[in-house]
Amino acid sequence: MHISILGIDIGKNSCSVVGVDDRGAVVVRRTMRRQTLIEFVEKLPTCVIAMEACCGAHHLGRLFTARGHEIRLMSPEYVRPYVKAQKNDDRDAEGIAEAASRPTMRFVELKSQEQLDIQTLHRVRSRLVAERTSLINQLRAVLLERGVIFAVGRVKFESALDGLLAEADEILSPRIRSLVIELRDEWRMLDKKIEALNAEFVALARQNSAMRRLTSIPGIGVLNATARVAAIGDAASFKHARDLGAWLGLVPRQFTTGGKARLLGITKRGNTYLRTLLVHGARAAMHTLSQSATPIGQWLQTMLSRGVQRNVVIVALANKLARIAWAVLRKGQPYERTYGVAAI
């Protein structure tokens, strides 16, 4: 029995395994628990191990790489077309093995433990920010029911709410007043946790040379830099700068048929969190860059003078910043404002 490619469909407790030989014929089809899988792979001769890039895949990938195996991780959406007939775990593992054998398949780079740690910190911060937003909206609704309206904006609402609670009034009943105070304390606790994570990201960016280079790019701050390095490392998995923009979903969707090209809105594929950070960064840097005499400033002024809608310009700038980030990571040099737009 010779296994050329071992396809693994990862489960929380059990995993389905399908091994194929050089001709693509199935020679192994088994279901085993995670620890049994690790022991099984340790005894195998060196081969290609294919998995979907899902939770736990990077951990297993590092274990199997240490045993000399070649790891190929793929996006689940690229594996789906290779699943035949009815969908089950065995069919998924077989489809994974077949997809990994395709020469045109796109693979996901194996992440290090440090990258996964930073990515986890970002996900926890994102959850805390969402909880804070939900709590603020609930506070606004509770007070609106009592006829109390506040200005738009978290900072303005925070100041006005503290002023309301500091005064003795008859707008709120004693029970609702105590409830609002409890919610305000919870809000402060969330602020402290978010600020602690922000400080940790700042420390990480100071220690990492790649992150420091990324923060030299206008519109890319500490959050953007740390999240980008955690997701793509040194960007070696992207052959061209435009590939990174496409992976982030910042390029137009194509609907071309009969030789007639039709471009729609952006694809919004890939990492939603990274794309959101990049678009917000572009929005924040838009005014300053458009007023500068740099090549990017002239490029933005040209689009704005043509009457291009502002949000379209912001997304185009986000795509440009993603390309610049790729160049900075690949060349190992900080951003220079004198670079020409066409040369990036």
Side-chain angles (χ1 to χ4, degrees):
M1 181 183 66
H2 172 69
I3 297 177
S4 176
I5 300 177
L6 186 70
I8 303 175
D9 182 52
I10 303 174
K12 186 171 66 174
N13 296 317
S14 63
C15 303
S16 292
V17 176
V18 169
V20 299
D21 59 16
D22 295 333
R23 299 176 302 156
V26 176
V27 294
V28 173
R29 190 188 299 271
R30 292 179 58 183
T31 298
M32 57 188 75
R33 300 187 70 82
R34 185 177 291 260
Q35 186 56 41
T36 308
L37 170 65
I38 296 174
E39 296 171 357
F40 174 76
V41 172
E42 287 179 350
K43 299 175 183 178
L44 282 180
T46 302
C47 65
V48 173
I49 296 181
M51 297 176 286
E52 292 181 335
C54 58
C55 185
H58 292 278
H59 170 70
L60 290 176
R62 288 194 302 274
L63 290 179
F64 299 155
T65 299
R67 302 296 189 274
H69 298 286
E70 180 186 347
I71 306 302
R72 295 181 183 177
L73 302 182
M74 298 162 289
S75 173
E77 66 175 329
Y78 293 153
V79 175
R80 196 173 299 119
Y82 295 93
V83 178
K84 306 181 188 71
Q86 305 299 324
K87 183 189 181 305
N88 54 54
D89 293 342
D90 285 341
R91 291 292 187 185
D92 287 344
E94 185 179 336
I96 290 170
E98 184 173 348
S101 66
R102 299 297 92 193
T104 58
M105 179 55 62
R106 299 173 182 175
F107 300 107
V108 177
E109 186 178 0
L110 192 65
K111 289 184 175 61
S112 66
Q113 186 62 53
E114 182 184 5
Q115 286 179 281
L116 291 176
D117 290 348
I118 298 173
Q119 195 173 62
T120 300
L121 291 176
H122 272 280
R123 288 175 178 173
V124 170
R125 182 188 179 277
S126 181
R127 178 183 60 80
L128 292 174
V129 170
E131 287 181 8
R132 183 176 65 180
T133 302
S134 178
L135 188 146
I136 290 173
N137 290 339
Q138 187 176 47
L139 270 172
R140 284 184 178 275
V142 168
L143 295 172
L144 181 60
E145 288 288 351
R146 275 81 187 167
V148 184
I149 302 174
F150 296 95
V152 175
R154 178 170 57 87
V155 176
K156 292 181 180 179
F157 178 44
E158 184 177 8
S159 177
L161 179 61
D162 290 341
L164 176 67
L165 294 176
E167 299 175 357
D169 58 70
E170 299 179 354
I171 298 176
L172 304 177
S173 64
R175 181 66 188 96
I176 295 301
R177 183 181 181 84
S178 64
L179 179 63
V180 171
I181 292 175
E182 291 176 7
L183 293 176
R184 181 68 182 100
D185 292 339
E186 184 180 349
W187 182 357
R188 290 193 182 95
M189 181 185 66
L190 290 173
D191 280 342
K192 290 180 180 178
K193 291 182 179 180
I194 294 171
E195 288 303 320
L197 287 173
N198 289 342
E200 193 169 352
F201 289 135
V202 171
L204 285 171
R206 287 174 178 170
Q207 298 169 4
N208 189 289
S209 58
M211 295 177 187
R212 287 199 304 272
R213 290 195 300 270
L214 284 177
T215 53
S216 66
I217 304 173
I220 295 185
V222 170
L223 286 179
N224 237 318
T226 53
R228 205 154 304 281
V229 171
I232 64 176
D234 62 353
S237 57
F238 300 98
K239 187 176 180 180
H240 304 287
R242 61 177 177 270
D243 294 340
L244 177 57
W247 180 73
L248 289 171
L250 291 170
V251 298
R253 281 191 301 121
Q254 290 192 41
F255 189 81
T256 301
T257 182
K260 296 181 180 179
R262 183 185 178 193
L263 298 181
L264 308 174
I266 60 173
T267 63
K268 294 186 179 180
R269 300 179 67 182
N271 195 313
T272 303
Y273 180 71
L274 286 179
R275 183 173 62 253
T276 301
L277 288 178
L278 201 56
V279 170
H280 285 329
R283 191 183 303 276
M286 174 77 173
H287 177 73
T288 303
L289 287 176
S290 62
Q291 301 298 321
S292 65
T294 60
I296 289 186
Q298 298 171 4
W299 173 68
L300 290 172
Q301 292 166 15
T302 301
M303 282 197 293
L304 292 172
S305 64
R306 283 165 34 205
V308 180
Q309 210 271 342
R310 187 175 181 83
N311 283 335
V312 174
V313 177
I314 288 172
V315 173
L317 176 59
N319 188 22
K320 184 66 66 178
L321 294 180
R323 291 171 174 240
I324 295 173
W326 178 90
V328 166
L329 289 173
R330 296 298 294 139
K331 295 179 181 179
Q333 298 177 356
Y335 169 72
E336 293 183 14
R337 295 176 181 271
T338 56
Y339 282 173
V341 173
I344 294 172

